[in-house]
Amino acid sequence: TTRRRTTTRKTQQQRQETMQNLTEDLDVVGWGEPSHLTRYHSPYYNESHVKWRLHLRKWMEERLQPNIAKWETDKVIPHSVFKEAYEIGFLPAIVGAPWPEHLVGDCPVVGAKQFDAFHELIAWEEICRLGSGGLAWGICEGIQIGVPPLLNFGTPEMRDIATQCLKGEKVICLCISEPYAGSDVANIRCKAEKKKDPHTGEDVYVVNGEKKWITNGTYADYFIVAARTGPKGNKGISLLLVDRSMAGIETKRMDCMGMFASGTAYITLEDVHVPCSRVIGEVNKGFYYIMYNFNH
């Protein structure tokens, strides 16, 4: 027992020394860093978390921070930044654990098997450390809430679209809020009626409605739209995957103070024909998928 305790203490000491060596150059003035880096031991963070943080921080300070003012002025983040964010490992990280290795390959620095919720948390801490809401929302928010429904409830074809977004090739957004139903998700008014397409003869959902405060909607390629396909209340809502090429969808940029680069949009859907194969999961189960998604 004594030998085991001695070995444990030595292991802990070695671990603390390794962590100190990794963090010796960090700014520790005024509680500017998380406490586990500078003052206290935490059982939740190990060497991989510190290396991951420094990996992301280097990219953000060199590539993102110098451009924040320009992107806020231009009210858009260049699409090339999304591809860089994938290559550095940032985009898949903010979608959360487990790391989607089967879709995007291994996790840089950390490794897919080691990636956990604390690595995801670090990704958010580092992007928010730059102090720009427009940057954080512009890069993160659409993919963070738009991709999980495809991964968790979508078809294999939908997961292919999720992969495009994770790799920074496409941008996605989640369309829930409306001008008259912000957080009252169960009572949204946007409707999707099942009809025959007059040109193809196939069954489609014809979507009509409005969505407001949709982050990334201005430059999104895909839209996950919550629409009423059944009775009133939470048992009549479905999620549909809409893409910008479909006729009848219009996006207007909303200039939200402090969030100009976020691409927040007011979206109008007028007789948008969506194939039935674009329903995510089961019809009228959308409310439950939304709640599952928001809980993350």
Side-chain angles (χ1 to χ4, degrees):
T1 303
T2 302
R3 183 179 301 172
R4 186 180 302 139
R5 288 176 179 171
T6 302
T7 302
T8 301
R9 281 196 294 269
K10 286 182 178 179
T11 302
Q12 290 177 345
Q13 184 178 359
Q14 290 172 351
R15 180 182 173 187
Q16 289 174 353
E17 289 175 354
T18 301
M19 296 280 274
Q20 288 172 358
N21 291 334
L22 286 170
T23 61
E24 62 182 357
D25 294 328
L26 295 182
D27 179 11
V28 296
V29 177
W31 298 85
E33 298 286 357
S35 59
H36 72 270
L37 288 179
T38 56
R39 292 170 175 81
Y40 305 115
H41 166 73
S42 169
Y44 304 109
Y45 293 90
N46 56 41
E47 185 178 339
S48 75
H49 295 98
V50 179
K51 289 181 177 179
W52 174 244
R53 185 186 295 277
L54 299 179
H55 166 73
L56 293 180
R57 182 173 297 187
K58 183 177 186 298
W59 172 68
M60 291 179 184
E61 289 183 343
E62 292 178 357
R63 181 68 181 99
L64 302 185
Q65 193 170 33
N67 294 295
I68 290 174
K70 182 180 187 306
W71 295 340
E72 281 289 306
T73 301
D74 294 344
K75 299 180 180 179
V76 66
I77 297 173
H79 198 80
S80 60
V81 177
F82 289 85
K83 293 183 178 179
E84 289 182 34
Y86 155 67
E87 291 167 358
I88 209 74
F90 181 74
L91 284 187
I94 59 174
V95 173
W99 181 271
E101 184 178 12
H102 61 297
L103 300 177
V104 299
D106 204 8
C107 175
V109 180
V110 176
K113 299 296 187 293
Q114 277 194 290
F115 186 87
D116 60 25
F118 292 96
H119 292 100
E120 177 193 0
L121 176 60
I122 287 169
W124 279 102
E125 288 178 346
E126 289 302 309
I127 192 76
C128 292
R129 178 176 175 271
L130 300 181
S132 170
L135 175 71
W137 283 19
I139 295 179
C140 304
E141 196 59 18
I143 187 172
Q144 189 257 341
I145 58 177
V147 165
L150 301 183
L151 296 180
N152 294 323
F153 309 108
T155 63
E157 291 76 17
M158 291 177 181
R159 294 190 187 98
D160 289 340
I161 290 174
T163 302
Q164 296 173 28
C165 298
L166 289 168
K167 290 185 175 181
E169 298 168 356
K170 300 291 184 179
V171 178
I172 194 169
C173 65
L174 183 67
C175 305
I176 305 295
S177 299
E178 299 177 352
Y180 20 73
S183 58
D184 188 7
V185 177
N187 289 308
I188 60 172
R189 300 184 189 179
C190 181
K191 292 183 179 180
E193 297 178 285
K194 196 171 185 178
K195 297 181 179 180
K196 287 281 187 184
D197 188 304
H199 303 293
T200 65
E202 296 179 355
D203 286 336
V204 297
Y205 281 99
V206 180
V207 183
N208 285 280
E210 300 166 297
K211 299 293 179 179
K212 193 175 182 181
W213 305 290
I214 306 305
T215 310
N216 289 177
T218 302
Y219 41 76
D221 301 289
Y222 295 103
F223 307 79
I224 294 183
V225 178
R228 186 161 302 284
T229 52
K232 292 182 178 180
N234 61 14
K235 295 182 179 179
I237 298 172
S238 298
L239 290 182
L240 296 94
L241 178 59
V242 179
D243 68 61
R244 188 174 286 274
S245 65
M246 294 177 180
I249 183 166
E250 180 183 2
T251 61
K252 296 179 181 179
R253 187 182 67 227
M254 297 177 62
D255 288 336
C256 301
M257 184 178 293
M259 304 290 178
F260 289 151
S262 67
T264 300
Y266 188 105
I267 299 176
T268 304
L269 302 113
E270 186 174 355
D271 290 336
V272 180
H273 287 210
V274 182
C276 292
S277 61
R278 287 295 189 98
V279 174
I280 299 172
E282 297 181 40
V283 175
N284 294 332
K285 293 293 182 67
F287 181 85
Y288 305 104
Y289 302 150
I290 294 168
M291 293 301 105
Y292 183 95
N293 195 39
F294 284 171
N295 280 338
H296 172 254

